């Protein structure tokens, strides 16, 4: 076994591999992240196990799970590498030369708000970065982050588990939309009209635990939901030629606001605005490529907000 305290006898590149392995918990994803072959990563892990005299990562249930020693090492290692990157300066990370895949989880609302501008930025500034985007419930997205199966989740997350961090991207407000013919010349609905109308609910799960329905229940009311679907993008199209009312985030309707056959109006009761955020695991916080992606997404959303305000 090597003396881990004797830096002259340690290949410091192994520590970069260990940091990536602890973040990814997956040999092939680590290989892609570091632009290495899978056998090279496996070989490096073997050398790391000898160096630390510890298994570091143990396969359990189809996943690589960090040992107790690895969990102890992770924050110290991450901080040390972050400080080294600061010493190296901007030459330590170059988005134009980065070859990396990221896994993002978001609804089609998040995709509409983020992806167009983000992809333009990536193709222009970081063409070697690839994205895989998935959609699932809030709870499932958080689980993907905790299990290391996802790099970033974008959406609305009122309660975050320990070890997850969030950055606010925007504050969203609700708006209602209805078919103009069904409104009989009115430009908005009062509370009685709203409660008497059939509604479209956008939610991943069947139920009424949305911010809209919680605001209604606080006033002692419930609405009649006749259609529940998980897709924000398709919801406005369901309103045409019906008496349905849709209440959604304003940015989800950006492509439909010029449609003359639809009427847009504020809800007849107060609904608290909600923060649209990006969430990541703390073990990825110091990764320079991950940090660059988070900052780029924040810039993209800020720019999109300026265009729609």
């Amino acid at each position: 076994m090597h003396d881990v305290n004797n830096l002259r006898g340690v290949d410091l590149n192994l520590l970069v591999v260990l940091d990536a392995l602890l973040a990814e918990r997956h040999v092939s994803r680590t290989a892609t992240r570091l632009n290495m072959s899978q056998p090279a990563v496996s070989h490096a892990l073997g050398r790391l196990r000898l160096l630390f005299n510890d298994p570091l990562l143990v396969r359990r249930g189809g996943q690589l799970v960090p040992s107790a020693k690895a969990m102890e090492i992770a924050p110290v290692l991450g901080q040390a590498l972050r400080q080294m990157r600061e010493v190296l300066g901007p030459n330590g990370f170059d988005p134009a030369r980065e070859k990396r895949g990221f896994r993002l989880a978001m609804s089609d609302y998040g995709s509409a708000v983020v992806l167009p501008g983000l992809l333009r930025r990536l193709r222009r500034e970081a063409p070697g970065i690839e994205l895989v985007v998935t959609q699932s419930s809030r709870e499932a997205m958080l689980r993907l982050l905790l299990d290391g199966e996802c790099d970033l989740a974008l959406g609305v997350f009122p309660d975050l588990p320990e070890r997850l961090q969030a950055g606010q991207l925007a504050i969203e407000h609700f708006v209602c939309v209805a078919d103009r013919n069904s409104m009989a010349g009115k430009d908005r609905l009062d509370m009685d009209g709203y409660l008497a109308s059939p509604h479209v609910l956008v939610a991943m799960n069947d139920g009424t635990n949305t911010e809209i329905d919680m605001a209604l229940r606080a006033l002692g009311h419930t609405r009649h939901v006749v259609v529940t679907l998980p897709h924000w993008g398709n919801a406005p199209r369901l309103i045409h030629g019906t008496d349905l009312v849709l209440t959604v985030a304003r940015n989800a309707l950006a492509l439909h606001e010029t449609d003359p056959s639809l009427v847009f109006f504020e809800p007849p009761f107060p609904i608290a605005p909600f923060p649209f955020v990006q969430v990541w695991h703390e073990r990825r916080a110091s990764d320079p490529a991950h940090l660059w992606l988070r900052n780029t997404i924040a810039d993209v959303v800020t720019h999109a907000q300026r265009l729609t305000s």
Side-chain angles (χ1 to χ4, degrees):
M1 185 186 76
H2 296 288
D3 181 1
V4 74
N5 294 311
N6 181 6
L7 289 179
R8 287 179 298 177
V10 177
D11 179 357
L12 296 183
N13 287 319
L14 288 175
L15 301 182
V16 176
V17 176
L18 178 57
D19 182 58
L21 277 167
L22 292 175
E24 298 292 345
R25 303 188 184 188
H26 198 281
V27 170
S28 63
R29 289 202 299 263
T30 298
T32 300
R33 171 171 169 170
L34 298 179
N35 198 24
M36 297 171 62
S37 68
Q38 290 188 38
V41 172
S42 297
H43 179 65
L45 178 56
R47 293 176 63 192
L48 284 161
R49 285 167 169 161
L50 288 174
L51 179 67
F52 287 96
N53 192 28
D54 186 86
L56 297 176
L57 290 146
V58 181
R59 188 163 297 281
R60 187 178 303 154
Q63 290 185 321
L64 288 177
V65 179
S67 67
K69 188 175 187 67
M71 294 294 288
E72 180 184 344
I73 292 169
V76 179
L77 177 60
Q79 182 180 8
L81 291 176
R82 182 170 63 252
Q83 291 171 340
M84 284 300 299
R85 289 174 182 125
E86 290 172 357
V87 170
L88 291 171
N91 292 329
F93 170 69
D94 182 1
R97 300 178 63 183
E98 184 79 9
K99 294 188 181 301
R100 176 84 172 268
F102 286 100
R103 291 148 294 135
L104 277 56
M106 64 184 82
S107 67
D108 59 335
Y109 162 76
S111 297
V113 172
V114 174
L115 286 185
L118 177 60
L119 290 178
R120 286 192 291 271
R121 286 281 297 270
L122 292 182
R123 300 314 303 160
R124 184 171 66 245
E125 300 176 19
I129 288 182
E130 301 173 351
L131 300 181
V132 175
V133 180
T134 60
Q135 179 179 1
S136 54
S137 67
R138 294 178 186 177
E139 297 77 12
M141 285 193 244
L142 296 179
R143 176 50 54 190
L144 289 172
L145 289 172
L146 290 169
D147 290 345
E149 296 297 320
C150 180
D151 294 290
L152 270 173
L154 285 76
V156 182
F157 302 98
D159 301 302
L160 288 182
E162 191 177 352
R163 308 184 76 84
L164 295 186
Q165 301 175 355
Q168 182 174 296
L169 296 172
I171 295 292
E172 257 294 14
H173 299 264
F174 286 95
V175 66
C176 299
V177 57
D179 181 79
R180 186 172 296 278
N181 290 330
S182 73
M183 293 289 284
K186 294 181 290 186
D187 61 1
R188 65 186 305 275
L189 292 175
D190 59 17
M191 192 64 164
D192 289 340
Y194 185 91
L195 294 175
S197 299
H199 290 264
V200 177
L201 167 65
V202 180
M204 287 299 298
N205 301 313
D206 184 19
T208 55
N209 288 322
T210 68
E211 290 79 2
I212 304 160
D213 295 285
M214 288 188 287
L216 277 173
R217 282 200 297 273
L219 298 173
H221 299 298
T222 58
R223 58 178 176 162
H224 180 208
V225 174
V226 298
V227 180
T228 301
L229 76 162
H231 308 298
W232 294 73
N234 285 332
R237 297 184 180 92
L238 304 181
I239 304 304
H240 288 277
T242 74
D243 58 348
L244 295 168
V245 174
L246 172 67
T247 308
V248 288
R250 178 175 177 265
N251 278 332
L253 301 172
L255 298 177
H256 303 272
E257 287 183 323
T258 58
D259 189 335
S261 66
L262 298 176
V263 176
F264 301 87
F265 55 95
E266 291 190 5
F269 58 98
I271 311 174
F274 62 89
F276 177 59
V277 302
Q278 54 182 338
V279 182
W280 61 94
H281 198 285
E282 62 181 20
R283 62 176 171 261
R284 300 185 191 275
S286 62
D287 174 4
H290 199 283
L291 177 60
W292 181 86
L293 179 63
R294 298 197 306 265
N295 289 337
T296 301
I297 289 174
D299 286 345
V300 164
V301 174
T302 299
H303 181 68
Q305 290 284 307
R306 288 198 193 105
L307 293 179
T308 57
S309 60

